[in-house]
Amino acid sequence: ANLINQARNLVWAMTREFMPLFSDLDANGDREKFTQVLFVSSRYVLAFTMPLLTGILFLGPAFIARWMGPEYAEKGKWVLYIFAGAYLLPWLNPFSNRLLTGIGRQKVLARISSVSAVINLALSILLVRYLGKEGVALGTMIPMIILEPVVLFYMCRCVGKSVTQYANEVIRPVLLPNLIFAGLMFLLTSHITPSTYVNILSISLSSLTVYTLFFFLLSVNRSEQKLILSKIRERFV
């Protein structure tokens, strides 16, 4: 759980500064720029978090085995997988909390979070009796599967867009690079045993290098590519 929470903290840190920006754009009534900032920023945050989640799925048990011992990896891997699945849906919509709070719609978000917490607690108490620690993890996952689509729908309605538009502009562009990343991660872990920190780091860096190239070529439009390259030149030349 702590391994997933470290990744979760990174996502929170990446999105924290956007709340006053969303408040400002909403106050000025600039809907076009508001939506553009939301969609483009969500795509880039998603481009960071998806390979992070995939890496945890492929290398998380090996990392735990090296860090804490094989027993923890063996007994805890399904908890890790379930928690990763639980946080997939919130990470597909990384700015919902910042945006809804920034535009003064946090009341609905608070209600949904309260319902989620109650369902989480009730399911965890029920399922732990039958499934053990995996039942507690499922108690976290199930309400997220049910309620996170509601949060996404409500957020899209607030900005005047549909969930389909959000999926096409934010999620779809990053799917192919992440499938390539997952395939490469599977290939490397099949041939290189991730039993040492060096091997884990080597697999991660190799896969991320290829992923970054494919993301830049496939998921970044021409104007964004020019902007990114100009910023790189400004910094290093």
Short mmCIF file of all heavy atoms in Angstrom, two decimals, residues 15-70:
data_model
loop_
_atom_site.label_atom_id
_atom_site.label_comp_id
_atom_site.label_asym_id
_atom_site.label_seq_id
_atom_site.Cartn_x
_atom_site.Cartn_y
_atom_site.Cartn_z
N THR A 15 -0.25 18.07 -9.46
CA THR A 15 -1.50 18.76 -9.77
C THR A 15 -1.83 19.90 -8.79
O THR A 15 -2.75 20.67 -9.05
CB THR A 15 -2.68 17.77 -9.75
OG1 THR A 15 -2.79 17.16 -8.44
CG2 THR A 15 -2.48 16.67 -10.77
N ARG A 16 -1.05 20.02 -7.72
CA ARG A 16 -1.39 20.96 -6.64
C ARG A 16 -1.51 22.41 -7.13
O ARG A 16 -2.45 23.13 -6.78
CB ARG A 16 -0.35 20.87 -5.53
CG ARG A 16 -0.66 21.77 -4.32
CD ARG A 16 0.44 21.70 -3.28
NE ARG A 16 0.57 20.36 -2.74
CZ ARG A 16 1.66 19.59 -2.88
NH1 ARG A 16 2.71 20.06 -3.55
NH2 ARG A 16 1.71 18.39 -2.35
N GLU A 17 -0.57 22.85 -7.96
CA GLU A 17 -0.52 24.27 -8.34
C GLU A 17 -1.58 24.66 -9.35
O GLU A 17 -1.70 25.85 -9.68
CB GLU A 17 0.87 24.59 -8.91
CG GLU A 17 2.03 24.25 -7.99
CD GLU A 17 1.94 24.93 -6.64
OE1 GLU A 17 1.39 26.06 -6.59
OE2 GLU A 17 2.38 24.34 -5.65
N PHE A 18 -2.34 23.71 -9.85
CA PHE A 18 -3.33 24.04 -10.87
C PHE A 18 -4.64 24.58 -10.28
O PHE A 18 -5.42 25.19 -11.02
CB PHE A 18 -3.64 22.80 -11.72
CG PHE A 18 -2.61 22.52 -12.77
CD1 PHE A 18 -1.44 21.85 -12.46
CD2 PHE A 18 -2.80 22.94 -14.07
CE1 PHE A 18 -0.48 21.60 -13.43
CE2 PHE A 18 -1.86 22.68 -15.06
CZ PHE A 18 -0.68 22.01 -14.72
N MET A 19 -4.88 24.38 -8.99
CA MET A 19 -6.16 24.81 -8.42
C MET A 19 -6.38 26.32 -8.55
O MET A 19 -7.44 26.76 -9.01
CB MET A 19 -6.28 24.36 -6.96
CG MET A 19 -7.65 24.61 -6.36
SD MET A 19 -7.92 23.71 -4.82
CE MET A 19 -6.75 24.55 -3.74
N PRO A 20 -5.41 27.18 -8.17
CA PRO A 20 -5.64 28.61 -8.38
C PRO A 20 -5.74 29.00 -9.85
O PRO A 20 -6.45 29.95 -10.20
CB PRO A 20 -4.41 29.27 -7.72
CG PRO A 20 -3.38 28.20 -7.63
CD PRO A 20 -4.14 26.92 -7.47
N LEU A 21 -5.06 28.26 -10.74
CA LEU A 21 -5.19 28.53 -12.17
C LEU A 21 -6.60 28.26 -12.65
O LEU A 21 -7.19 29.07 -13.40
CB LEU A 21 -4.18 27.67 -12.95
CG LEU A 21 -4.27 27.74 -14.47
CD1 LEU A 21 -4.01 29.16 -14.96
CD2 LEU A 21 -3.28 26.76 -15.11
N PHE A 22 -7.18 27.14 -12.23
CA PHE A 22 -8.56 26.83 -12.61
C PHE A 22 -9.53 27.88 -12.05
O PHE A 22 -10.48 28.27 -12.72
CB PHE A 22 -8.95 25.44 -12.11
CG PHE A 22 -8.29 24.31 -12.86
CD1 PHE A 22 -7.74 23.22 -12.18
CD2 PHE A 22 -8.21 24.33 -14.24
CE1 PHE A 22 -7.12 22.19 -12.87
CE2 PHE A 22 -7.60 23.30 -14.94
CZ PHE A 22 -7.05 22.22 -14.25
N SER A 23 -9.27 28.33 -10.83
CA SER A 23 -10.12 29.37 -10.23
C SER A 23 -10.06 30.65 -11.06
O SER A 23 -11.09 31.29 -11.33
CB SER A 23 -9.67 29.66 -8.80
OG SER A 23 -9.84 28.55 -7.96
N ASP A 24 -8.86 31.02 -11.48
CA ASP A 24 -8.67 32.25 -12.26
C ASP A 24 -9.35 32.14 -13.62
O ASP A 24 -10.05 33.07 -14.06
CB ASP A 24 -7.18 32.53 -12.43
CG ASP A 24 -6.91 33.81 -13.19
OD1 ASP A 24 -7.30 34.89 -12.69
OD2 ASP A 24 -6.32 33.75 -14.29
N LEU A 25 -9.16 31.02 -14.31
CA LEU A 25 -9.77 30.84 -15.62
C LEU A 25 -11.29 30.82 -15.53
O LEU A 25 -11.99 31.36 -16.40
CB LEU A 25 -9.27 29.54 -16.25
CG LEU A 25 -7.78 29.52 -16.66
CD1 LEU A 25 -7.38 28.11 -17.09
CD2 LEU A 25 -7.52 30.51 -17.78
N ASP A 26 -11.81 30.21 -14.47
CA ASP A 26 -13.27 30.16 -14.28
C ASP A 26 -13.82 31.55 -13.99
O ASP A 26 -14.87 31.93 -14.52
CB ASP A 26 -13.60 29.19 -13.14
CG ASP A 26 -15.09 29.06 -12.92
OD1 ASP A 26 -15.80 28.60 -13.84
OD2 ASP A 26 -15.56 29.40 -11.80
N ALA A 27 -13.10 32.32 -13.18
CA ALA A 27 -13.56 33.66 -12.83
C ALA A 27 -13.57 34.58 -14.06
O ALA A 27 -14.44 35.45 -14.19
CB ALA A 27 -12.68 34.25 -11.74
N ASN A 28 -12.61 34.39 -14.97
CA ASN A 28 -12.53 35.21 -16.17
C ASN A 28 -13.47 34.74 -17.27
O ASN A 28 -13.62 35.42 -18.29
CB ASN A 28 -11.09 35.22 -16.71
CG ASN A 28 -10.15 35.97 -15.79
OD1 ASN A 28 -10.55 36.95 -15.16
ND2 ASN A 28 -8.90 35.54 -15.73
N GLY A 29 -14.07 33.57 -17.08
CA GLY A 29 -15.04 33.06 -18.06
C GLY A 29 -14.43 32.61 -19.36
O GLY A 29 -15.14 32.54 -20.38
N ASP A 30 -13.13 32.31 -19.34
CA ASP A 30 -12.46 31.89 -20.57
C ASP A 30 -12.59 30.37 -20.70
O ASP A 30 -11.69 29.61 -20.38
CB ASP A 30 -10.98 32.30 -20.52
CG ASP A 30 -10.29 32.16 -21.87
OD1 ASP A 30 -10.86 31.49 -22.75
OD2 ASP A 30 -9.18 32.71 -22.02
N ARG A 31 -13.73 29.93 -21.23
CA ARG A 31 -14.05 28.49 -21.27
C ARG A 31 -13.13 27.73 -22.22
O ARG A 31 -12.75 26.60 -21.95
CB ARG A 31 -15.50 28.30 -21.70
CG ARG A 31 -16.49 28.53 -20.58
CD ARG A 31 -16.36 27.44 -19.54
NE ARG A 31 -17.06 27.79 -18.32
CZ ARG A 31 -17.03 27.06 -17.21
NH1 ARG A 31 -16.29 25.95 -17.19
NH2 ARG A 31 -17.67 27.42 -16.13
N GLU A 32 -12.77 28.35 -23.34
CA GLU A 32 -11.94 27.66 -24.31
C GLU A 32 -10.56 27.37 -23.73
O GLU A 32 -10.05 26.24 -23.84
CB GLU A 32 -11.82 28.49 -25.58
CG GLU A 32 -11.02 27.80 -26.68
CD GLU A 32 -10.97 28.62 -27.96
OE1 GLU A 32 -11.72 29.61 -28.05
OE2 GLU A 32 -10.17 28.27 -28.84
N LYS A 33 -9.95 28.38 -23.13
CA LYS A 33 -8.64 28.18 -22.52
C LYS A 33 -8.74 27.24 -21.32
O LYS A 33 -7.84 26.43 -21.07
CB LYS A 33 -8.04 29.52 -22.10
CG LYS A 33 -6.59 29.40 -21.61
CD LYS A 33 -5.99 30.75 -21.32
CE LYS A 33 -4.54 30.59 -20.86
NZ LYS A 33 -3.92 31.92 -20.53
N PHE A 34 -9.82 27.36 -20.56
CA PHE A 34 -10.05 26.51 -19.40
C PHE A 34 -10.01 25.04 -19.82
O PHE A 34 -9.29 24.22 -19.23
CB PHE A 34 -11.41 26.85 -18.78
CG PHE A 34 -11.70 26.19 -17.47
CD1 PHE A 34 -11.63 26.91 -16.29
CD2 PHE A 34 -12.07 24.85 -17.40
CE1 PHE A 34 -11.90 26.31 -15.07
CE2 PHE A 34 -12.34 24.24 -16.19
CZ PHE A 34 -12.26 24.98 -15.02
N THR A 35 -10.78 24.71 -20.84
CA THR A 35 -10.84 23.33 -21.31
C THR A 35 -9.51 22.88 -21.90
O THR A 35 -9.07 21.74 -21.69
CB THR A 35 -11.94 23.17 -22.37
OG1 THR A 35 -13.18 23.64 -21.83
CG2 THR A 35 -12.11 21.71 -22.78
N GLN A 36 -8.85 23.77 -22.63
CA GLN A 36 -7.56 23.43 -23.22
C GLN A 36 -6.53 23.10 -22.15
O GLN A 36 -5.80 22.11 -22.25
CB GLN A 36 -7.06 24.58 -24.09
CG GLN A 36 -5.73 24.28 -24.78
CD GLN A 36 -5.21 25.48 -25.54
OE1 GLN A 36 -5.56 26.63 -25.26
NE2 GLN A 36 -4.35 25.23 -26.52
N VAL A 37 -6.46 23.93 -21.11
CA VAL A 37 -5.51 23.68 -20.02
C VAL A 37 -5.83 22.35 -19.34
O VAL A 37 -4.94 21.56 -19.05
CB VAL A 37 -5.56 24.84 -19.00
CG1 VAL A 37 -4.79 24.47 -17.73
CG2 VAL A 37 -4.97 26.11 -19.61
N LEU A 38 -7.12 22.10 -19.08
CA LEU A 38 -7.52 20.86 -18.42
C LEU A 38 -7.13 19.64 -19.24
O LEU A 38 -6.50 18.70 -18.73
CB LEU A 38 -9.03 20.87 -18.17
CG LEU A 38 -9.63 19.55 -17.66
CD1 LEU A 38 -9.08 19.19 -16.30
CD2 LEU A 38 -11.15 19.62 -17.63
N PHE A 39 -7.48 19.63 -20.52
CA PHE A 39 -7.26 18.46 -21.35
C PHE A 39 -5.77 18.22 -21.62
O PHE A 39 -5.29 17.09 -21.52
CB PHE A 39 -8.02 18.60 -22.68
CG PHE A 39 -9.48 18.28 -22.57
CD1 PHE A 39 -10.13 18.24 -21.34
CD2 PHE A 39 -10.24 18.03 -23.70
CE1 PHE A 39 -11.47 17.95 -21.23
CE2 PHE A 39 -11.60 17.72 -23.61
CZ PHE A 39 -12.21 17.69 -22.36
N VAL A 40 -5.04 19.27 -21.97
CA VAL A 40 -3.61 19.10 -22.25
C VAL A 40 -2.86 18.69 -20.99
O VAL A 40 -2.03 17.76 -21.03
CB VAL A 40 -3.02 20.39 -22.85
CG1 VAL A 40 -1.50 20.27 -22.98
CG2 VAL A 40 -3.64 20.68 -24.21
N SER A 41 -3.13 19.35 -19.88
CA SER A 41 -2.44 19.02 -18.62
C SER A 41 -2.78 17.61 -18.17
O SER A 41 -1.90 16.88 -17.69
CB SER A 41 -2.83 20.03 -17.53
OG SER A 41 -2.52 21.34 -17.92
N SER A 42 -4.04 17.21 -18.32
CA SER A 42 -4.44 15.86 -17.93
C SER A 42 -3.70 14.82 -18.76
O SER A 42 -3.27 13.78 -18.25
CB SER A 42 -5.96 15.68 -18.11
OG SER A 42 -6.68 16.53 -17.25
N ARG A 43 -3.54 15.10 -20.06
CA ARG A 43 -2.83 14.16 -20.94
C ARG A 43 -1.38 13.98 -20.51
O ARG A 43 -0.87 12.86 -20.48
CB ARG A 43 -2.91 14.63 -22.39
CG ARG A 43 -2.09 13.80 -23.37
CD ARG A 43 -2.60 13.97 -24.79
NE ARG A 43 -2.84 15.34 -25.15
CZ ARG A 43 -1.91 16.17 -25.64
NH1 ARG A 43 -0.67 15.74 -25.82
NH2 ARG A 43 -2.21 17.41 -25.96
N TYR A 44 -0.72 15.08 -20.14
CA TYR A 44 0.68 14.97 -19.75
C TYR A 44 0.85 14.31 -18.38
O TYR A 44 1.78 13.54 -18.16
CB TYR A 44 1.34 16.35 -19.77
CG TYR A 44 1.77 16.77 -21.15
CD1 TYR A 44 0.96 17.59 -21.94
CD2 TYR A 44 2.97 16.32 -21.68
CE1 TYR A 44 1.34 17.95 -23.21
CE2 TYR A 44 3.36 16.69 -22.96
CZ TYR A 44 2.55 17.50 -23.73
OH TYR A 44 2.93 17.85 -25.00
N VAL A 45 -0.05 14.61 -17.45
CA VAL A 45 0.01 13.94 -16.15
C VAL A 45 -0.25 12.45 -16.32
O VAL A 45 0.41 11.60 -15.73
CB VAL A 45 -0.99 14.57 -15.15
CG1 VAL A 45 -1.07 13.74 -13.87
CG2 VAL A 45 -0.58 15.99 -14.81
N LEU A 46 -1.23 12.13 -17.16
CA LEU A 46 -1.54 10.73 -17.44
C LEU A 46 -0.36 10.03 -18.11
O LEU A 46 -0.08 8.86 -17.83
CB LEU A 46 -2.78 10.64 -18.33
CG LEU A 46 -3.44 9.27 -18.47
CD1 LEU A 46 -3.89 8.74 -17.12
CD2 LEU A 46 -4.64 9.36 -19.42
N ALA A 47 0.35 10.75 -18.97
CA ALA A 47 1.53 10.19 -19.63
C ALA A 47 2.61 9.85 -18.63
O ALA A 47 3.44 8.97 -18.86
CB ALA A 47 2.07 11.19 -20.66
N PHE A 48 2.62 10.55 -17.50
CA PHE A 48 3.59 10.24 -16.44
C PHE A 48 3.10 9.11 -15.53
O PHE A 48 3.88 8.23 -15.16
CB PHE A 48 3.84 11.50 -15.60
CG PHE A 48 4.72 11.27 -14.41
CD1 PHE A 48 6.10 11.24 -14.55
CD2 PHE A 48 4.18 11.08 -13.15
CE1 PHE A 48 6.92 11.02 -13.45
CE2 PHE A 48 4.99 10.86 -12.05
CZ PHE A 48 6.36 10.83 -12.20
N THR A 49 1.82 9.13 -15.18
CA THR A 49 1.33 8.19 -14.18
C THR A 49 1.08 6.79 -14.72
O THR A 49 1.23 5.80 -14.00
CB THR A 49 0.03 8.71 -13.54
OG1 THR A 49 -0.95 8.96 -14.56
CG2 THR A 49 0.28 10.00 -12.77
N MET A 50 0.69 6.68 -16.00
CA MET A 50 0.38 5.35 -16.54
C MET A 50 1.60 4.43 -16.58
O MET A 50 1.52 3.29 -16.13
CB MET A 50 -0.25 5.48 -17.92
CG MET A 50 -1.66 6.03 -17.91
SD MET A 50 -2.79 4.97 -16.97
CE MET A 50 -2.90 3.57 -18.07
N PRO A 51 2.76 4.88 -17.10
CA PRO A 51 3.93 3.99 -17.02
C PRO A 51 4.39 3.76 -15.59
O PRO A 51 4.94 2.70 -15.29
CB PRO A 51 5.00 4.73 -17.83
CG PRO A 51 4.54 6.13 -17.90
CD PRO A 51 3.05 6.09 -17.88
N LEU A 52 4.15 4.72 -14.71
CA LEU A 52 4.48 4.52 -13.30
C LEU A 52 3.66 3.37 -12.73
O LEU A 52 4.19 2.48 -12.04
CB LEU A 52 4.20 5.81 -12.52
CG LEU A 52 4.55 5.83 -11.03
CD1 LEU A 52 6.05 5.69 -10.83
CD2 LEU A 52 4.05 7.12 -10.40
N LEU A 53 2.37 3.36 -13.04
CA LEU A 53 1.50 2.29 -12.57
C LEU A 53 1.87 0.96 -13.21
O LEU A 53 1.91 -0.08 -12.54
CB LEU A 53 0.05 2.64 -12.89
CG LEU A 53 -1.05 1.84 -12.19
CD1 LEU A 53 -0.95 2.01 -10.69
CD2 LEU A 53 -2.42 2.28 -12.69
N THR A 54 2.17 0.98 -14.51
CA THR A 54 2.57 -0.25 -15.21
C THR A 54 3.87 -0.79 -14.63
O THR A 54 4.03 -2.00 -14.44
CB THR A 54 2.75 0.03 -16.71
OG1 THR A 54 1.53 0.56 -17.24
CG2 THR A 54 3.11 -1.24 -17.46
N GLY A 55 4.81 0.11 -14.34
CA GLY A 55 6.08 -0.31 -13.75
C GLY A 55 5.89 -0.95 -12.38
O GLY A 55 6.56 -1.94 -12.05
N ILE A 56 4.96 -0.41 -11.59
CA ILE A 56 4.67 -0.99 -10.28
C ILE A 56 4.09 -2.40 -10.45
O ILE A 56 4.43 -3.32 -9.70
CB ILE A 56 3.70 -0.09 -9.49
CG1 ILE A 56 4.43 1.18 -9.04
CG2 ILE A 56 3.12 -0.82 -8.28
CD1 ILE A 56 3.54 2.20 -8.37
N LEU A 57 3.23 -2.59 -11.44
CA LEU A 57 2.65 -3.91 -11.67
C LEU A 57 3.71 -4.94 -12.04
O LEU A 57 3.70 -6.07 -11.56
CB LEU A 57 1.59 -3.82 -12.77
CG LEU A 57 0.28 -3.10 -12.41
CD1 LEU A 57 -0.58 -2.96 -13.65
CD2 LEU A 57 -0.47 -3.85 -11.33
N PHE A 58 4.64 -4.55 -12.91
CA PHE A 58 5.66 -5.49 -13.38
C PHE A 58 6.82 -5.65 -12.40
O PHE A 58 7.34 -6.75 -12.23
CB PHE A 58 6.20 -5.05 -14.74
CG PHE A 58 5.34 -5.45 -15.90
CD1 PHE A 58 4.43 -4.56 -16.45
CD2 PHE A 58 5.43 -6.73 -16.44
CE1 PHE A 58 3.63 -4.93 -17.52
CE2 PHE A 58 4.63 -7.11 -17.50
CZ PHE A 58 3.73 -6.21 -18.05
N LEU A 59 7.23 -4.57 -11.76
CA LEU A 59 8.44 -4.59 -10.94
C LEU A 59 8.17 -4.45 -9.45
O LEU A 59 9.09 -4.62 -8.65
CB LEU A 59 9.39 -3.46 -11.39
CG LEU A 59 9.91 -3.57 -12.83
CD1 LEU A 59 10.72 -2.33 -13.18
CD2 LEU A 59 10.75 -4.83 -13.01
N GLY A 60 6.92 -4.12 -9.08
CA GLY A 60 6.60 -3.91 -7.67
C GLY A 60 6.91 -5.11 -6.79
O GLY A 60 7.62 -4.98 -5.77
N PRO A 61 6.43 -6.32 -7.12
CA PRO A 61 6.75 -7.48 -6.29
C PRO A 61 8.26 -7.75 -6.19
O PRO A 61 8.76 -8.09 -5.11
CB PRO A 61 6.03 -8.62 -7.01
CG PRO A 61 4.90 -7.97 -7.71
CD PRO A 61 5.45 -6.64 -8.17
N ALA A 62 8.98 -7.57 -7.31
CA ALA A 62 10.43 -7.78 -7.28
C ALA A 62 11.11 -6.75 -6.39
O ALA A 62 12.06 -7.07 -5.65
CB ALA A 62 11.00 -7.72 -8.70
N PHE A 63 10.63 -5.51 -6.46
CA PHE A 63 11.20 -4.46 -5.62
C PHE A 63 10.94 -4.75 -4.14
O PHE A 63 11.84 -4.60 -3.30
CB PHE A 63 10.60 -3.10 -6.01
CG PHE A 63 11.07 -1.97 -5.13
CD1 PHE A 63 12.32 -1.42 -5.31
CD2 PHE A 63 10.24 -1.47 -4.14
CE1 PHE A 63 12.75 -0.37 -4.50
CE2 PHE A 63 10.66 -0.43 -3.33
CZ PHE A 63 11.92 0.13 -3.51
N ILE A 64 9.71 -5.17 -3.81
CA ILE A 64 9.38 -5.50 -2.42
C ILE A 64 10.21 -6.69 -1.94
O ILE A 64 10.68 -6.72 -0.80
CB ILE A 64 7.87 -5.78 -2.28
CG1 ILE A 64 7.09 -4.49 -2.50
CG2 ILE A 64 7.55 -6.35 -0.90
CD1 ILE A 64 5.59 -4.68 -2.54
N ALA A 65 10.40 -7.68 -2.81
CA ALA A 65 11.22 -8.85 -2.44
C ALA A 65 12.65 -8.43 -2.13
O ALA A 65 13.26 -8.94 -1.18
CB ALA A 65 11.20 -9.87 -3.57
N ARG A 66 13.19 -7.50 -2.92
CA ARG A 66 14.56 -7.05 -2.69
C ARG A 66 14.64 -6.15 -1.47
O ARG A 66 15.63 -6.17 -0.73
CB ARG A 66 15.06 -6.29 -3.94
CG ARG A 66 16.52 -5.85 -3.86
CD ARG A 66 17.44 -7.07 -3.89
NE ARG A 66 18.83 -6.68 -3.70
CZ ARG A 66 19.42 -6.53 -2.51
NH1 ARG A 66 18.71 -6.72 -1.40
NH2 ARG A 66 20.69 -6.21 -2.43
N TRP A 67 13.61 -5.36 -1.26
CA TRP A 67 13.61 -4.36 -0.19
C TRP A 67 13.28 -4.98 1.18
O TRP A 67 13.96 -4.73 2.16
CB TRP A 67 12.58 -3.29 -0.56
CG TRP A 67 12.35 -2.21 0.46
CD1 TRP A 67 13.26 -1.66 1.31
CD2 TRP A 67 11.11 -1.55 0.72
NE1 TRP A 67 12.67 -0.69 2.08
CE2 TRP A 67 11.34 -0.60 1.74
CE3 TRP A 67 9.83 -1.66 0.18
CZ2 TRP A 67 10.33 0.23 2.24
CZ3 TRP A 67 8.85 -0.82 0.66
CH2 TRP A 67 9.09 0.10 1.68
N MET A 68 12.24 -5.83 1.21
CA MET A 68 11.73 -6.33 2.49
C MET A 68 11.87 -7.83 2.65
O MET A 68 11.79 -8.35 3.76
CB MET A 68 10.25 -5.94 2.66
CG MET A 68 10.00 -4.46 2.62
SD MET A 68 8.24 -4.05 2.74
CE MET A 68 7.90 -4.55 4.42
N GLY A 69 12.03 -8.55 1.52
CA GLY A 69 12.16 -10.00 1.59
C GLY A 69 11.12 -10.71 0.74
O GLY A 69 10.02 -10.19 0.53
N PRO A 70 11.44 -11.91 0.25
CA PRO A 70 10.54 -12.65 -0.65
C PRO A 70 9.18 -12.94 -0.02
O PRO A 70 8.17 -13.01 -0.73
CB PRO A 70 11.31 -13.94 -0.94
CG PRO A 70 12.74 -13.60 -0.67
CD PRO A 70 12.73 -12.60 0.44
#
